[in-house]
Amino acid sequence: MFSFRKKLKHDIIKWVKCMLENLNEKQIEAVKHKDGPLLILAGAGSGKTKALTTRIAYLIKEYGVNPENILAITFTNKAAKEMKERIEKLIGKTNLLASTFHSFGVRILRENYERLGYKSNFVIMDSDDSLTLVKKILKDLGYDPKRFSPYMIRNKISSNKSEFIMPEEYKNFVHSEEDDIVYKVYKKYQEILYRNNSVDFDDLLILPIKLFKENEDILDYYREKYKYIMVDEYQDTNEAQYILIKMLAAKYRNIACIGDNDQSIYMFRGANYKNILNFEKDYKDAKIIMLEQNYRSTKTILDAANSVIKNNTFRKDKNLWSDKGEGEKISFYKSYDEIDEVFYIIRKIKELISKGTPYKDIAILYRTNAQSRVFEQELLKQNIPFRIVGSFYFYSRKEIKDLLAYLRLILNSDDDISLIRCINTPKRGIGPKTISEIEANASNYNTSMYKAIKDGKALEFKKVIEELKEDLKSCTLTEFIDKVLDKSGMRMVLKEEKSLEADIRLENLEEFKSVTKNFEERVGIISLEEFLTEISLVSDIEEYKDDPNRITLMTVHSVKGLEYPYVFLAGLEEGIFPHRNCYTPDELEEERRLMYVAITRAMKKLWITSAKKRMIYGQESPSVLSRFVREIDPDLIEKINKEEKEQVKKEKRVYKEDRVFNYGDKVNHEIYGDGVVIEVTNTILTVAFNKDVGIKKILKNHKSIRRV
């Protein structure tokens, strides 16, 4: 027996030594901390997940803590699964609870539904169900959903719940007609949820808090059950999550939170970075451990990140360092425009590939989804495999497909597929029943659905299309897109929604005007038919689904938690990064944290680019260099020399001088040959070419056309 115990003790000592041997001093300090509040401030790439999972394993193996008394909380199911897998690699199978906040909330509600007045079979509504309910309530209350956006109201309800503001409390914040509508809908919304034995996603956090506040015995049960609580990504917690954790940890105070205040980038989702900054106020005896050694990046990259983030006021000071060597300087390229920017980046990518770098080691980052378009188009043309993470390809996005459906229907009113897609987009009260009736009439008379429309709201839609057909005759493609967005109602609906998702969709639609503008400048032809032909070739993107070796394109928000040996960060201009919707000091600091996240994704080499001018929403505008570039220590930056710039320089695509044409002038076009001017407007020439070419509308100042 003695020898068995001796062997067991020896095995445990060996296991503990093995567990700790790949950790640095600060990580070991965090792992060995047993009782009392602990805050681990873990910089980017500092091995925080390793420290957290090892600590949990250490509590179980070395300190003998029952796994059932440990609660590990994170934000995604993927992260929770990964956390448990890493722990079980260290100690074997365990009944430890590793969960998301919302999954934990569901568990509490399932175990205590009766105390809240619910039945065991309560239903969790998804976001679509929630929106449908808001629309119904608006209708029942007699409000016009076109005037008061259901999306906006749903988002405000969610925001209030995240901040633990219930309808009776929200009543105190009513200062406008819009606020009053939100209050009435919110109040009715909660009543209906309860009556229907339903909860929404936000309730999964709100109701457990309510349960705990009203039932001390239940709260005490969970406090006894979960004596050790660990929270990952603590900087991303909202008010409700903060309250829930604080209530659970109040008795034993064995709470360990890990995160990085410099990587708090989800304020738009309700995250409150102050939760991590206030940890020491909440727990005055808290132990604070900083993980500052970075295992990902070179010293140059980290010094750049540090020099930017130190300009933020509301943060805990730390300084990332690395033993991976100095590394290459950050390359900065100031391009002529966004096309020049893309050409430069692709040229550098080709250099990397020629030296044996796999495509998967390369990432292109940008601030907004709309910026992906120019990269998609050029990478496709040059047959370079890529993938987009966290979003759809530009031409696959719903709002772009909706707009293209309008354009195709305007060009060809017999296109039933396009009509079905856009006739009720945005919502205009034309439901499946009406569409089925139109289809039946079209079939009976052997005609298109468009021609079969005779009355009702569908006829109003038809009148809009006819108006747009007339508009097409007298304006450029870019001007025409504006008219489609306005007359269809697409722009107005998205503006009124007042949500982040709506803003992104609107940005993409406005970016489409840059597509038409580039087409006009390059081709000179004002032809919707030719434009749509070209778009169909570009939009049919081969997604290289079977090839994992692809360049990654993504927004900076999507890249958090990831790393790449080679990173290109594009569009570093004021109004883009930092974003133009950044108004307050808090919002600016969040943008700077986003820049910090972007820089620290790079392992070996970082390129940053900006443009002197940029096509934004179809308008060419001069650009101002982002303040974030100016905040990087100049000694860390290598500016691209003139010789290299010359290698990526391209021809000017448009003649800027105004040229005079008159009715009857003979002209020559580079592609279509000789013709005669038959109509002149401020910007457009209508030219009659030979019968094989026909009549074409051409930009008056385009390089392709000249008088003869």
Side-chain angles (χ1 to χ4, degrees), residues 128 146 249 394 452 454 515 626:
D128 288 340
K146 292 181 180 178
F394 184 80
K454 300 297 182 185
V515 182
S626 169

Side-chain angles (χ1 to χ4, degrees), residues 4 38 124 190 339 344-345 398 446 462 561 582 616 657:
F4 173 76
L38 170 68
I124 303 169
Q190 289 299 105
I339 306 298
Y344 170 75
I345 289 174
K398 178 186 179 303
N446 194 26
K462 189 174 181 178
C582 165
I616 300 176
E657 71 270 16

Side-chain angles (χ1 to χ4, degrees), residues 432-453:
K433 185 181 177 182
T434 303
I435 293 171
S436 295
E437 288 172 356
I438 296 169
E439 281 184 305
N441 289 335
S443 179
N444 290 336
Y445 293 101
N446 194 26
T447 188
S448 68
M449 289 178 66
Y450 187 85
K451 290 173 183 172
I453 294 173

Side-chain angles (χ1 to χ4, degrees), residues 661-665 677-686 700:
F661 292 90
N662 297 298
Y663 176 86
D665 282 351
V677 176
I678 60 173
E679 187 179 354
V680 182
T681 68
N682 288 338
T683 56
I684 300 170
L685 295 178
T686 304
K700 189 169 67 174

Side-chain angles (χ1 to χ4, degrees), residues 253-291:
R253 304 177 75 254
N254 295 324
I255 179 170
C257 295
I258 189 164
D260 183 5
N261 56 286
D262 290 334
Q263 295 188 74
S264 178
I265 60 173
Y266 297 122
M267 193 162 64
F268 63 90
R269 293 181 186 169
N272 187 352
Y273 69 92
K274 292 178 182 177
N275 290 343
I276 196 167
L277 296 178
N278 291 333
F279 191 89
E280 291 170 88
K281 291 181 182 177
D282 294 333
Y283 307 96
K284 298 193 185 304
D285 58 336
K287 186 177 186 66
I288 311 297
I289 297 173
M290 289 196 183
L291 303 185

Side-chain angles (χ1 to χ4, degrees), residues 198-323:
S198 300
V199 298
D200 66 13
F201 209 56
D202 297 302
D203 287 331
L204 301 181
L205 298 175
I206 300 299
L207 289 176
I209 294 171
K210 183 175 185 290
L211 179 75
F212 290 163
K213 283 184 174 181
E214 296 174 355
N215 300 274
E216 189 68 31
D217 60 322
I218 294 176
L219 174 58
D220 194 59
Y221 167 81
Y222 286 103
R223 284 171 172 173
E224 288 293 331
K225 184 172 179 65
Y226 301 114
K227 295 175 182 176
Y228 291 86
I229 300 170
M230 265 142 288
V231 185
D232 194 14
E233 305 286 6
Y234 191 60
Q235 77 279 350
D236 293 334
T237 52
N238 61 26
E239 186 66 16
Q241 291 161 340
Y242 165 77
I243 292 171
L244 182 63
I245 291 299
K246 193 176 180 183
M247 291 178 80
L248 284 170
K251 185 174 184 178
Y252 289 100
R253 304 177 75 254
N254 295 324
I255 179 170
C257 295
I258 189 164
D260 183 5
N261 56 286
D262 290 334
Q263 295 188 74
S264 178
I265 60 173
Y266 297 122
M267 193 162 64
F268 63 90
R269 293 181 186 169
N272 187 352
Y273 69 92
K274 292 178 182 177
N275 290 343
I276 196 167
L277 296 178
N278 291 333
F279 191 89
E280 291 170 88
K281 291 181 182 177
D282 294 333
Y283 307 96
K284 298 193 185 304
D285 58 336
K287 186 177 186 66
I288 311 297
I289 297 173
M290 289 196 183
L291 303 185
E292 296 174 294
Q293 183 176 357
N294 177 283
Y295 294 94
R296 175 186 298 154
S297 308
T298 65
K299 183 177 183 300
T300 295
I301 291 168
L302 296 180
D303 287 350
N306 289 329
S307 66
V308 171
I309 201 64
K310 72 180 183 183
N311 291 280
N312 270 6
T313 303
F314 303 106
R315 63 184 293 265
K316 288 191 180 291
D317 194 32
K318 62 179 180 303
N319 202 55
L320 290 182
W321 61 275
S322 171
D323 60 4

